[in-house]
Amino acid sequence: MNIKITPDAAVEMYRTMKLIRRFEEWVTVLVEADEIAGVTHESVGQEAVPVGVCSALRDDDVMTSTHRGHGHIIAKGGAVPYMFSELMGRESGYNKGRGGSMHIADVSLGIYGANGIVTAGMPMACGAAFVFKSRGEDRVAVSFFGDGGVNHGLFHEAMNLAAIWELPAVFICENNQYAITTPIESVVKVPIHTRADSYGMSGESVDGMDVEAVYTATRRAVERARDGGGPSFIECQTYRYVGHYTAERHMKLNYRSEEEIELWRQRDAIEGWAGRLIGQGIWTEDERATVDAAVERELDEAIAIARQAPWPETGSYLDYVYAREYPGFPARGSDL
Amino acid sequence: MNIKITPDAAVEMYRTMKLIRRFEEWVTVLVEADEIAGVTHESVGQEAVPVGVCSALRDDDVMTSTHRGHGHIIAKGGAVPYMFSELMGRESGYNKGRGGSMHIADVSLGIYGANGIVTAGMPMACGAAFVFKSRGEDRVAVSFFGDGGVNHGLFHEAMNLAAIWELPAVFICENNQYAITTPIESVVKVPIHTRADSYGMSGESVDGMDVEAVYTATRRAVERARDGGGPSFIECQTYRYVGHYTAERHMKLNYRSEEEIELWRQRDAIEGWAGRLIGQGIWTEDERATVDAAVERELDEAIAIARQAPWPETGSYLDYVYAREYPGFPARGSDL
Amino acid sequence: MRRLRYLQAMNEAYHQEMERDEEIFILGEDIRGNLRGETYGLLDRFGPNRVLDTPISEAAFVGFGTGAAMAGMRPIVQFQIATLIYLAFDQLVNNAAKMRLMMGGQVNIPVTYTVMATGARNGLAGQHADNPYPFFLHAGIKTICPSNAYDAKGLLISAIRENDPVGYFAPAGCLSQRGEVPEAPYAIPLGQGQIKREGTDVTVIAVGQMVGEALKVAESMSSEGISVQVWDPRTLLPLDKEGVCSAVAKTGRAVIYDDANRTCGFAAELSSLLVERVYDELVSPIKRVTRADVPIAFSAPLEQAALPSQVGLANAIRSICG
Amino acid sequence: MRRLRYLQAMNEAYHQEMERDEEIFILGEDIRGNLRGETYGLLDRFGPNRVLDTPISEAAFVGFGTGAAMAGMRPIVQFQIATLIYLAFDQLVNNAAKMRLMMGGQVNIPVTYTVMATGARNGLAGQHADNPYPFFLHAGIKTICPSNAYDAKGLLISAIRENDPVGYFAPAGCLSQRGEVPEAPYAIPLGQGQIKREGTDVTVIAVGQMVGEALKVAESMSSEGISVQVWDPRTLLPLDKEGVCSAVAKTGRAVIYDDANRTCGFAAELSSLLVERVYDELVSPIKRVTRADVPIAFSAPLEQAALPSQVGLANAIRSICG
Ligand SMILES: Cc1ncc(C[n+]2csc(CCOP(=O)(O)OP(=O)(O)O)c2C)c(N)n1
Ligand SMILES: Cc1ncc(C[n+]2csc(CCOP(=O)(O)OP(=O)(O)O)c2C)c(N)n1
Ligand SMILES: [Mg+2]
Ligand SMILES: [Mg+2]
């Protein structure tokens, strides 16, 4: 299969990676300014993975995401105003302010939710894939998870389910080398992608700092899944330049060196891709500047919208737990 | 490594397999006669596995067992009078009648308990192996589980822990081809033993109807573990001639054919081993008859002992929950 | 009218609902093999795409159900034994149960969890004899525990039609009991308890297989001149709070007879609820007769001692009606 | 005296106990990395064989602890966030907690589970904000919830010395609070509650970080002429039943202030226990002020609304002291 990226698509990939990078940088600023509460996990450095993967998807494909999910959501088409509104806890947010960073979802875009529990989305992607298969639709379900996830029991169970039932699923491991402070080498003895063998599933490892490599591998896996060829596993080697969560910048953790971070920064996916497009003459520095400026504008506007968005009504705190409520449920905290 | 079985050891292997077979057949009889309550899972047909494995262990090695655990316990040195007493719910049973078939344990013999939850013993074996390793003892922990277990998340997590920490553990998968009614081929796409690869662990498959093959493979794995060479995984291909549990004989299940059962019966481990010993001139039919008779006597006596053993005192039902009790705990069911 | 066993009533509900709505499918361990009877004939009738035998992977098959529900289908997820919910606990209480709120109402999760043989007896021992519905209640998952064949069918149909996760606990002691069961499909609404026997001195609130026992005790107490009312909540969440309050207000006394663990159990919830709501109508303390907080021992006399008993119930009644 | 933060008090307990007994070791996620402070210095002092960073495999590392305990060591198993217990739920409630009885007393399982940052606040949202101790209570697992730095150290030392599984819940809201903590090791016995403030009109029973709030409410109620007593159970199982009964008998009124889910929660247990034990001393219904039974929403106003509040507590007190 010869997979070509059109110039327009290539520029769009750049734009989306840049949007994610700048979105995350804004999140950090807003967290520090106490405009965003809770715990936020930025994906700065990893942008090529969600963009490469989601560029290979159709709108009606679905995906499950992780605690480090902003990039996945943007890449799958999430609108930044609704994302910022969600992160600021507003009623106009994607989840009406109920979810926050770790749960952003837009089912209409096939975003089945970020998830705060490592690998929790994997079996859900299998369930969705089963529905597509049993309805005879050629849709695909993708599940993102980190290197830390591959040691979880649920990884194993979900990979096996997908394999034995030949589900149209694609499993994307974002191997950013660490689970919080724990280096992947200390908790896994084999190259991660070889785990796929043990389910009879195709598995490969790609350079997660190269959006084209991620796209190409995913595209192949997605086509195979659509054609009834079953699931695939793709490990993307990547790195987060920033801490596990926003707060880490104020902590004295020493699980990795500045040199290591610098080495990965030199392979930056966004710079690298821009360089290639410009080098190949497909694009110019001016065009890039225009895109960059548009990204800034988009984010500025989104933040402005979010800041003015209304908060949820306090009295609505019992809403949305159940599709159907009964008298006295959900139970309130006091019964005076 | 050249692993030889002495004639005495070979006869002892026969005796133990026979003891397990006849023990299980007695269990069936006693269940039908309502002398044993609860759910009992017999291992008729699988005897070569526990015997081959445990023959390679020392007394101070430990093992965890499964719902189908009688054979493991006998092979690790469990005394049949205490086992029958336990199965009949008597105070003199291994677990003072508290455990029953699915929980028989004798910690002094390194039997860390049968377990009613598939794969639940695997991480416990890892924990014990860790203790041996960190104390510098050359003891080994073995964990038994079925083919159904290899799809469980806990299998994955425990295998990985053992591998990354290079624990002196040996994982024995008794692949009897079914998990209740579910054929292994329907839930696994690869040969089971290849799963070990994905942890960087040595894995092999052996004929579980051949006690020597099981013994030899285990012996190698155990020596490696003792020498600090880390864990191993051994799949033993075997079969249960009887139902999943005793009650199955009265149910009309049709998940496997009489022909299939018959094929495996023709490879019976006990008959095969006796035939080899006699064929090689190490043993005679008469000697065999003597051993068989001794086995019958041992079981008859054990059952007689168990039948006369006292029941637990009703009033002791709160005992043994905690090592240390506090006023009012464990809570009783009424507070008049 | 026809008398069916509880398991047959469940089986009929499965058939009729799967017939009615082809978005419904069932999955779990040995469903096709039909070990107990409640899944009899499903494979033949609905085929392998709607009747799935899973690997032993409880956490994954619960999550699978959640994902299938999000994608628009209506899974029935069966637990072969009740304690298996522990293996999927995160997927149940931290995912399926919370998904709707966390997403701001974007999706429904119409999944039914049929939890078979809860509270098993007769030597099932430590790991197979729990009655784990209080865990579901504490997590806010809708929870049903039908006490007879009629309710079993009508409530299973309602559970399947509910657009939220519902745990359906089928008590071991009820599964082979027979009762009158109409053939045509019928739905018993959630949140409606039922007085199974009228009485004036004390209301016994009994759950699942305790209902039958409570009725026996009620009969025998009448010879002592104590008139016992028996109330069956049928659904534990939503609970029929009005129903239980008016039943207890009428008698002024209440005993809760429940086979789950005592501490933080359903009996504790009911007792504290009644104190909040009908304190002024009470003429005596509310009593709980529950399982002791011990793992169920294998041996029969110990098992008996740990379980709530008819004698214990009678004593509790006497202690407040004296 | 020295004032230490709660986390520092835990850290000191870890150091002193691991120093005292070399059978003790600690394992969990990012223990070496020392994210919050309570594991500071352990790796340097005790080395990698006694301070283990695990893969993300909660079920396995709990089972690992059980096996190590059976083989004679004394593991401390740390959960980085409270809801992670759900992932190991079977290994906790169906294995570790039952092992001793199922084996007829052959082994002890001396494992301490430190459950960090329970009941987290400020936007931790649906999956990270639970206060899951009622699940442990219902399963019969010994359970501690220290409300201040002094108790944190003394109860952690007792937990580690206990020969049974003990869940130690460290409330998010307490972790950075300071209090007087003696340097020498000391053990606070399990099963001893404490009156944190004397009062005569009503007893507020408060758990964990609710204790500090209850004390504030108690102060402010005195201006309304209501004398509020505050009782801290400190250990939830074993519970100091004598202590709580005599505290409530004295005031005749009780409000339970607890940040766990309401239904089948610890407040329900206490309320029903008090009704059973001190019914005749009660002059008003027992009130529960708890978290609502909803997943905690991310947005601040919704989070606030779902949690038990000082206003809610004050209203409950007024409603029965009026
Ligand atoms: C099952 C589970 N265990 C532990 C945690 C706590 N935790 C949150 S993120 C994280 C590390 C995840 O690492 P990885 O999967 O590599 O993803 P990354 O953060 O690197 O993107 C941990 C341990 C969790 N959320 N879920
Ligand atoms: C985790 C778990 N899931 C389901 C069950 C119910 N169950 C008991 S035995 C069994 C089949 C086990 O199959 P296998 O592991 O192959 O062992 P075998 O019975 O063949 O010896 C099942 C599903 C259980 N006990 N534990
Ligand atoms: Mg990572
Ligand atoms: Mg099997």
Side-chain angles (χ1 to χ4, degrees):
Chain A
M1 184 167 43
N2 185 9
I3 296 166
K4 286 274 285 240
I5 302 176
T6 64
D8 279 358
V11 170
E12 180 57 18
M13 285 176 174
Y14 172 87
R15 196 193 68 84
T16 312
M17 289 196 288
K18 187 78 180 191
L19 185 64
I20 294 172
R21 170 77 51 92
R22 294 292 300 133
F23 182 92
E24 297 291 43
E25 288 169 350
W26 263 115
V27 167
T28 309
V29 170
L30 295 167
V31 168
E32 299 273 315
D34 267 345
E35 291 193 68
I36 293 177
V39 170
T40 39
H41 306 83
E42 293 87 8
S43 61
V44 176
Q46 305 184 191
E47 299 84 354
V49 182
V51 174
V53 168
C54 293
S55 301
L57 300 181
R58 291 198 318 231
D59 285 353
D60 64 347
D61 294 328
V62 306
M63 66 92 173
T64 67
S65 170
T66 69
H67 58 287
R68 200 177 304 289
H70 305 157
H72 310 143
I73 290 150
I74 292 175
K76 189 70 175 67
V80 289
Y82 300 134
M83 291 178 69
F84 277 122
S85 298
E86 185 61 30
L87 293 181
M88 294 190 196
R90 309 308 168 95
E91 183 70 26
S92 55
Y94 263 127
N95 305 21
K96 299 196 162 65
R98 271 72 179 170
S101 172
M102 283 189 282
H103 305 290
I104 303 182
D106 183 346
V107 173
S108 71
L109 294 174
I111 301 167
Y112 276 22
N115 200 305
I117 301 301
V118 167
T119 68
M122 294 185 72
M124 297 178 203
C126 292
F130 167 80
V131 171
F132 304 153
K133 181 172 169 157
S134 71
R135 287 184 174 164
E137 298 171 353
D138 68 347
R139 297 162 68 191
V140 169
V142 170
S143 186
F144 289 97
F145 49 93
D147 47 289
V150 303
N151 294 321
H152 207 274
L154 207 42
F155 164 88
H156 178 71
E157 296 188 356
M159 291 281 284
N160 192 56
L161 270 194
I164 61 170
W165 291 343
E166 294 175 344
L167 301 176
V170 180
F171 299 101
I172 307 288
C173 177
E174 295 183 287
N175 179 0
N176 65 2
Q177 321 300 327
Y178 295 90
I180 312 189
T181 65
T182 306
I184 182 68
E185 315 89 67
S186 71
V187 287
V188 160
K189 278 189 81 170
V190 297
I192 286 180
H193 70 279
T194 64
R195 290 239 159 125
D197 301 346
S198 119
Y199 311 101
M201 193 190 293
S202 136
E204 67 180 304
S205 182
V206 302
D207 180 357
M209 304 305 275
D210 176 353
V211 70
E212 183 169 13
V214 175
Y215 169 75
T216 309
T218 311
R219 183 72 193 272
R220 252 190 253 113
V222 166
E223 308 283 297
R224 187 162 50 231
R226 284 201 212 295
D227 295 349
S232 312
F233 177 72
I234 302 170
E235 174 197 7
C236 304
Q237 296 277 355
T238 181
Y239 202 76
R240 58 170 159 76
Y241 304 159
V242 294
H244 171 70
Y245 36 40
T246 322
E248 194 185 310
R249 43 176 41 210
H250 303 298
M251 297 160 68
K252 283 180 221 67
L253 303 184
N254 55 4
Y255 59 94
R256 57 182 192 169
S257 65
E258 284 303 323
E259 295 72 50
E260 183 181 291
I261 300 176
E262 194 42 44
L263 273 177
W264 283 90
R265 271 190 192 277
Q266 282 163 18
R267 300 179 44 211
D268 187 70
I270 301 178
E271 290 308 316
W273 188 239
R276 268 160 74 182
L277 299 190
I278 293 166
Q280 288 169 16
I282 305 177
W283 215 30
T284 68
E285 285 288 0
D286 278 0
E287 286 169 325
R288 179 184 182 185
T290 310
V291 167
D292 285 354
V295 162
E296 297 306 322
R297 255 194 330 272
E298 183 173 352
L299 291 169
D300 288 347
E301 284 167 19
I303 293 167
I305 291 170
R307 281 180 172 144
Q308 271 154 39
W311 294 87
E313 300 279 348
T314 301
S316 68
Y317 75 102
L318 300 176
D319 293 355
Y320 304 121
V321 179
Y322 300 119
R324 175 159 179 190
E325 289 185 18
Y326 291 85
F329 293 92
R332 290 162 194 269
S334 60
D335 184 44
L336 301 178
Chain B
M1 185 166 44
N2 187 10
I3 294 166
K4 286 272 284 234
I5 302 176
T6 65
D8 280 359
V11 169
E12 180 57 19
M13 286 177 172
Y14 172 88
R15 196 194 68 84
T16 312
M17 289 197 289
K18 187 77 180 193
L19 185 62
I20 295 172
R21 169 78 50 94
R22 293 291 299 135
F23 182 92
E24 298 290 43
E25 287 168 351
W26 263 115
V27 167
T28 310
V29 171
L30 295 167
V31 168
E32 300 273 313
D34 266 345
E35 291 193 68
I36 293 177
V39 170
T40 39
H41 306 83
E42 293 87 7
S43 61
V44 176
Q46 305 185 191
E47 299 84 353
V49 182
V51 173
V53 168
C54 294
S55 300
L57 300 181
R58 292 198 317 235
D59 284 353
D60 66 346
D61 293 328
V62 306
M63 65 93 171
T64 67
S65 169
T66 69
H67 58 287
R68 199 177 304 288
H70 305 159
H72 310 142
I73 289 151
I74 292 175
K76 189 71 178 63
V80 290
Y82 301 134
M83 292 178 69
F84 278 122
S85 298
E86 186 60 31
L87 294 180
M88 293 190 196
R90 307 310 167 94
E91 183 70 24
S92 55
Y94 264 126
N95 305 21
K96 300 197 162 65
R98 271 73 178 170
S101 171
M102 282 190 280
H103 305 289
I104 302 183
D106 183 346
V107 173
S108 72
L109 294 174
I111 300 167
Y112 277 23
N115 200 305
I117 302 302
V118 167
T119 68
M122 294 185 73
M124 298 179 203
C126 293
F130 167 79
V131 171
F132 304 154
K133 179 172 171 161
S134 69
R135 288 185 173 164
E137 298 172 353
D138 68 345
R139 297 162 68 191
V140 169
V142 170
S143 185
F144 289 98
F145 49 91
D147 48 289
V150 303
N151 294 321
H152 207 274
L154 207 43
F155 164 88
H156 178 72
E157 296 188 356
M159 291 282 283
N160 192 55
L161 271 195
I164 61 170
W165 292 342
E166 294 175 344
L167 301 176
V170 180
F171 298 101
I172 306 288
C173 176
E174 296 183 287
N175 178 359
N176 65 4
Q177 320 301 325
Y178 295 89
I180 312 188
T181 65
T182 307
I184 182 68
E185 316 88 67
S186 71
V187 287
V188 161
K189 278 188 81 170
V190 298
I192 286 181
H193 71 278
T194 66
R195 289 238 160 129
D197 302 345
S198 113
Y199 312 101
M201 194 191 293
S202 135
E204 66 180 304
S205 182
V206 301
D207 179 359
M209 304 306 275
D210 176 353
V211 70
E212 184 170 12
V214 175
Y215 169 76
T216 309
T218 310
R219 182 72 193 272
R220 252 190 254 115
V222 165
E223 307 283 298
R224 187 162 50 230
R226 283 201 213 293
D227 295 349
S232 311
F233 177 73
I234 302 170
E235 173 196 6
C236 304
Q237 297 276 355
T238 183
Y239 201 76
R240 57 170 160 75
Y241 305 159
V242 294
H244 170 71
Y245 36 41
T246 322
E248 195 186 307
R249 44 177 40 211
H250 303 297
M251 298 161 67
K252 285 183 219 65
L253 302 185
N254 54 5
Y255 60 94
R256 57 182 192 171
S257 65
E258 284 305 322
E259 295 72 48
E260 183 181 292
I261 300 175
E262 195 42 44
L263 273 178
W264 282 89
R265 271 189 192 278
Q266 281 162 19
R267 299 180 44 214
D268 187 69
I270 301 178
E271 290 308 315
W273 189 238
R276 266 159 74 182
L277 299 188
I278 293 166
Q280 289 168 17
I282 304 176
W283 214 30
T284 68
E285 285 288 1
D286 279 358
E287 285 168 325
R288 179 183 183 184
T290 311
V291 167
D292 285 354
V295 162
E296 296 305 324
R297 255 194 329 274
E298 184 174 350
L299 291 169
D300 288 346
E301 284 166 20
I303 293 166
I305 291 170
R307 281 180 171 143
Q308 271 153 42
W311 293 85
E313 300 279 349
T314 302
S316 68
Y317 74 105
L318 301 175
D319 293 355
Y320 304 120
V321 179
Y322 301 118
R324 177 161 177 187
E325 287 185 18
Y326 292 84
F329 293 92
R332 290 161 195 268
S334 61
D335 184 43
L336 300 178
Chain C
M1 202 192 287
R2 293 183 321 159
R3 290 178 66 81
L4 294 188
R5 291 188 197 279
Y6 194 109
L7 287 170
Q8 292 170 317
M10 287 186 70
N11 184 252
E12 193 163 273
Y14 281 152
H15 274 277
Q16 290 175 346
E17 285 300 292
M18 290 181 71
E19 200 76 61
R20 181 185 61 76
D21 181 352
E22 62 177 32
E23 299 296 350
I24 299 169
F25 69 100
I26 184 166
L27 74 165
E29 289 154 4
D30 306 290
I31 305 282
R32 297 176 182 170
N34 180 37
L35 292 184
R36 289 199 183 84
E38 80 282 11
T39 58
Y40 178 77
L42 294 178
L43 179 63
D44 288 346
R45 175 65 194 83
F46 302 106
N49 285 329
R50 293 180 64 196
V51 182
L52 279 71
D53 268 0
T54 62
I56 304 182
S57 310
E58 291 82 6
F61 69 65
V62 169
F64 182 95
T66 308
M70 287 166 70
M73 291 186 74
R74 307 183 69 87
I76 299 166
V77 176
Q78 177 165 308
F79 292 95
Q80 194 170 67
I81 47 179
T83 49
L84 299 184
I85 65 168
Y86 303 150
L87 293 147
F89 209 64
D90 184 81
Q91 282 291 326
L92 291 164
V93 311
N94 213 19
N95 277 284
K98 293 179 174 173
M99 209 45 94
R100 194 171 195 285
L101 176 123
M102 293 191 303
M103 289 196 173
Q106 288 182 50
V107 285
N108 293 337
I109 310 289
V111 185
T112 304
Y113 307 108
T114 43
V115 183
M116 297 308 297
T118 192
R121 294 281 195 275
N122 301 325
L124 267 285
Q127 291 178 325
H128 287 69
D130 292 3
N131 238 329
Y133 42 76
F135 292 122
F136 269 35
L137 298 176
H138 187 64
I141 301 176
K142 291 178 177 174
T143 299
I144 295 177
C145 190
S147 66
N148 60 55
Y150 179 88
D151 291 353
K153 177 172 172 182
L155 285 167
L156 183 49
I157 288 178
S158 288
I160 293 171
R161 295 181 187 175
E162 192 79 0
N163 281 329
D164 290 312
V166 180
Y168 178 102
F169 288 79
C174 298
L175 299 181
S176 61
Q177 285 177 20
R178 289 178 195 276
E180 295 194 347
V181 178
E183 191 163 339
Y186 57 96
I188 300 175
L190 305 194
Q192 296 190 3
Q194 199 178 47
I195 293 181
K196 298 261 154 141
R197 182 185 196 276
E198 297 274 354
T200 52
D201 293 328
V202 57
T203 301
V204 172
I205 300 149
V207 181
Q209 73 192 71
M210 299 292 96
V211 173
E213 292 193 14
L215 289 169
K216 283 186 207 149
V217 172
E219 278 319 312
S220 76
M221 299 305 284
S222 69
S223 67
E224 298 181 28
I226 302 176
S227 167
V228 177
Q229 172 159 287
V230 176
W231 190 80
D232 177 355
R234 302 200 295 195
T235 73
L236 311 186
L237 194 167
L239 175 71
D240 181 355
K241 294 183 182 176
E242 296 302 317
V244 70
C245 288
S246 73
V248 173
K250 171 179 146 195
T251 57
R253 296 185 190 84
V255 179
I256 304 148
Y257 191 46
D258 180 35
D259 180 32
N261 278 6
R262 184 180 191 79
T263 301
C264 297
F266 179 64
E269 177 57 30
L270 264 186
S271 168
S272 48
L273 182 84
L274 289 168
V275 165
E276 283 158 355
R277 300 255 174 131
V278 295
Y279 184 78
D280 291 337
E281 271 80 25
L282 293 179
V283 300
S284 75
I286 293 166
K287 295 286 176 186
R288 294 181 281 173
V289 178
T290 67
R291 186 182 280 216
D293 282 353
V294 299
I296 296 301
F298 169 69
S299 187
L302 299 170
E303 176 185 291
Q304 285 298 326
L307 295 173
S309 69
Q310 298 184 34
V311 172
L313 175 58
N315 286 338
I317 292 170
R318 282 185 205 110
S319 78
I320 52 173
C321 295
Chain D
M1 201 192 288
R2 294 183 320 160
R3 291 177 66 80
L4 295 187
R5 290 186 198 280
Y6 194 111
L7 288 170
Q8 292 170 317
M10 288 186 69
N11 184 251
E12 194 163 272
Y14 281 153
H15 273 278
Q16 291 176 345
E17 286 300 292
M18 289 181 72
E19 201 75 60
R20 183 186 58 77
D21 182 353
E22 61 177 32
E23 300 297 350
I24 300 170
F25 69 100
I26 184 167
L27 74 164
E29 288 154 4
D30 305 291
I31 306 283
R32 297 176 182 171
N34 180 38
L35 292 184
R36 288 199 183 85
E38 79 283 10
T39 59
Y40 178 76
L42 294 178
L43 178 63
D44 288 346
R45 176 64 194 85
F46 302 106
N49 285 330
R50 293 181 64 196
V51 182
L52 280 72
D53 269 1
T54 61
I56 304 180
S57 310
E58 291 81 7
F61 70 65
V62 169
F64 182 94
T66 308
M70 287 166 69
M73 291 186 74
R74 306 183 71 85
I76 299 164
V77 175
Q78 176 166 309
F79 291 95
Q80 194 171 69
I81 47 180
T83 49
L84 299 184
I85 66 168
Y86 303 151
L87 293 147
F89 208 64
D90 183 79
Q91 282 291 326
L92 291 164
V93 311
N94 212 19
N95 278 282
K98 293 179 176 174
M99 209 43 93
R100 195 171 194 285
L101 176 123
M102 292 191 304
M103 289 196 173
Q106 287 182 51
V107 286
N108 292 336
I109 311 289
V111 186
T112 305
Y113 306 108
T114 43
V115 183
M116 298 308 297
T118 191
R121 295 281 194 276
N122 300 324
L124 266 285
Q127 291 178 325
H128 287 70
D130 292 3
N131 238 330
Y133 43 75
F135 292 122
F136 270 32
L137 299 176
H138 186 64
I141 301 176
K142 291 179 176 175
T143 299
I144 295 178
C145 191
S147 64
N148 60 55
Y150 179 87
D151 290 352
K153 178 172 171 181
L155 285 167
L156 183 49
I157 288 179
S158 289
I160 293 171
R161 294 182 188 174
E162 192 79 359
N163 280 328
D164 289 312
V166 180
Y168 178 102
F169 288 79
C174 298
L175 299 181
S176 61
Q177 286 177 20
R178 286 178 197 277
E180 294 194 349
V181 179
E183 193 163 337
Y186 57 95
I188 300 174
L190 305 194
Q192 296 190 3
Q194 199 177 48
I195 294 182
K196 298 263 157 145
R197 182 185 196 274
E198 297 275 354
T200 51
D201 292 327
V202 57
T203 301
V204 172
I205 300 149
V207 181
Q209 72 192 70
M210 299 292 97
V211 173
E213 292 193 13
L215 289 170
K216 283 187 207 148
V217 171
E219 277 320 311
S220 75
M221 299 305 283
S222 68
S223 66
E224 298 181 27
I226 302 177
S227 167
V228 178
Q229 172 161 287
V230 176
W231 191 80
D232 177 356
R234 303 200 295 194
T235 74
L236 311 185
L237 193 168
L239 174 71
D240 181 356
K241 294 182 184 177
E242 297 302 316
V244 68
C245 287
S246 72
V248 172
K250 172 180 145 195
T251 57
R253 296 185 190 84
V255 179
I256 304 149
Y257 191 46
D258 180 35
D259 180 32
N261 279 6
R262 184 181 192 77
T263 301
C264 297
F266 179 63
E269 176 57 29
L270 265 186
S271 169
S272 48
L273 182 84
L274 290 168
V275 165
E276 283 157 355
R277 300 256 175 129
V278 295
Y279 184 78
D280 290 338
E281 271 77 28
L282 293 179
V283 299
S284 75
I286 294 167
K287 296 285 175 187
R288 294 180 281 172
V289 179
T290 67
R291 186 181 278 216
D293 283 352
V294 299
I296 296 300
F298 169 70
S299 188
L302 298 171
E303 176 184 292
Q304 285 299 325
L307 294 174
S309 69
Q310 298 184 35
V311 173
L313 175 58
N315 285 339
I317 291 171
R318 282 185 205 110
S319 78
I320 53 172
C321 295

